[in-house]
Amino acid sequence: MAVRVVVGVDGTEPGWRALAFAVEEARVRHAPLEIRHCWQAPREATAPSGTIMPIVSIGARPTTAAQRIAATAWERAVATLPTHHVQAELVEGPPGAALAEQVTPADILVVGARSTHRLTARWLGSTASRVLNQAPSAVIVVPPHTTTPEEQPFAGHVVLGVAPSAAAAAVLRFGFATARAHDWPLAAVHATTTNDIDSYIDERTLEVQLSPLPPEYGYLQRVLEHWHHANPSTPVRRAVFHGPPTTALARAAAGARLLVLGRTHRSALRRGIEPLAERLITRATCPVAVTPFA
C-alpha cells in the first residue's frame, strides 16, 4: 500500500510548523501530501429561560476563514511540491477524531503540538493526544520549538526507543525507512535502570564508550541485525542509556532529527497513568513519531 503523508493545519504557528515538516516528508518519500483543516459548525447556546439562541447562523458550511486556511496551506505546500502531489480538503468534526478517520495504517499523520507543558498535555488534552489514541497510522507530533545542540551524541540522528515488546519491529521498520529516505544516521537506544552510565557503540567505527558492555547490547545486536544488513548505507549506533524510559530517551533524543516510539495496544488511558509517548512529547525537543498499533 502506498504511503500518504497527511497533515492537520489550523492556521496557528504550530500548524504551519507541522505543514513544513509534512512537506519535507512528502518530498523525500516521494509521497502525496494531503492537507486537512478541520472545522465545526457553530453550536447553539441555551438561554437561562430555556430558549435556544444560535451563536452564529451559518448552517453546516465551512466559514470563509476555514477556506482561507486550507488555501494558504495548499499554496505553501506547492511552493515545494508538484501541484498534482498536493491536495487540501476541509473536514467537518473535532480535529482529533476527524483527523484520525482520514488515515490508514500505511499513512503518516503529522500534527503540531500547541504546548509541551506537561500539565496542559495531561489534564486539558490536545488534538495531538487524541490523535495518538485513535489514529491507526504512524503519527508525528512536531513540537512548538526544536533545538539542535551539536555536542549531543545523537545530534542529527533518528533515535529509536527500542525495548522487548510487540512494537519493536514497527519502530525499527519506521525508523530505518525514515533514516534511509533522509540519509540521516540512526541510533537505537535501550533504556535501563541496571547501570548508571550512558554508553553507545558506533557500528561503522566500532568505537565503544564503555567496557565491559552491559548485557543489553546483546539484545540490541540481535534485533538490529536484519535491519542493519538490509540498510548497509545507514550509519547505526547502538546505545544503552540509564534511567527510566522517559528521562533516558529524552536525554538521548537531545538534538535528534526525530524520536521514534511504539504503540502496543488501543486500550483507553487509565486515570493517572500517562503513556510513554505522551510523556515524551511533553519533554522532547525534537519531533516525536509514534508507530501504528502493534
Side-chain angles (χ1 to χ4, degrees):
M1 189 178 296
V3 174
R4 296 181 307 157
V5 178
V6 181
V7 59
V9 297
D10 58 3
T12 65
E13 185 57 32
W16 297 133
R17 289 176 64 87
L19 176 64
F21 188 96
V23 166
E24 182 61 11
E25 285 301 302
R27 186 187 70 81
V28 301
R29 294 175 186 269
H30 306 288
L33 175 67
E34 300 195 5
I35 301 166
R36 299 290 184 266
H37 174 59
C38 300
W39 67 280
Q40 293 179 265
R43 298 179 179 179
E44 295 179 328
T46 303
S49 63
T51 59
I52 300 298
M53 298 175 57
I55 299 174
V56 182
S57 179
I58 62 172
R61 298 181 61 184
T63 63
T64 301
Q67 294 171 338
R68 187 181 301 116
I69 290 170
T72 300
W74 185 87
E75 291 171 357
R76 292 191 180 195
V78 298
T80 300
L81 301 173
T83 56
H84 63 279
H85 281 186
V86 182
Q87 182 184 55
E89 290 186 7
L90 296 171
V91 179
E92 184 178 2
L99 286 173
E101 292 175 355
Q102 295 293 307
V103 293
T104 70
D107 297 329
I108 299 172
L109 176 57
V110 183
V111 295
R114 290 194 177 189
S115 172
T116 55
H117 189 281
R118 191 173 183 183
L119 289 178
T120 299
R122 181 173 182 179
W123 299 115
L124 299 183
S126 66
T127 297
S129 62
R130 294 187 192 101
V131 164
L132 284 172
N133 287 297
Q134 298 178 36
S137 67
V139 177
I140 299 178
V141 181
V142 181
H145 307 287
T146 58
T147 60
T148 54
E150 295 182 358
E151 67 276 9
Q152 298 299 324
F154 306 135
H157 286 60
V158 177
V159 173
L160 314 185
V162 182
S165 75
V171 169
L172 292 163
R173 184 182 304 109
F174 187 88
F176 271 94
T178 301
R180 183 174 63 248
H182 288 273
D183 196 23
W184 291 339
L186 180 145
V189 181
H190 179 75
T192 181
T193 56
T194 59
N195 63 71
D196 57 1
I197 299 176
D198 296 341
S199 61
Y200 67 85
I201 298 176
D202 190 308
E203 297 286 359
R204 286 192 168 181
T205 65
L206 297 182
E207 177 186 1
V208 179
Q209 299 298 307
L210 179 67
S211 183
L213 292 174
E216 290 84 359
Y217 277 100
Y219 162 73
L220 287 174
Q221 183 174 10
R222 290 192 301 274
V223 299
L224 284 170
E225 184 175 7
H226 164 75
W227 300 99
H228 191 35
H229 286 303
N231 299 270
S233 63
T234 299
V236 176
R237 287 180 171 180
R238 283 182 285 152
V240 174
F241 271 46
H242 77 277
T246 302
T247 55
L249 291 175
R251 195 165 62 251
R257 302 275 193 177
L258 183 70
L259 172 62
V260 183
L261 306 171
R263 287 185 290 182
T264 55
H265 55 76
R266 293 175 178 267
S267 61
L269 303 183
R270 289 176 289 174
R271 181 172 297 179
I273 300 178
E274 289 181 296
L276 175 63
E278 290 207 13
R279 293 200 301 269
L280 276 164
I281 286 169
T282 66
R283 296 189 181 199
T285 55
C286 68
V288 178
V290 184
T291 61
F293 292 100

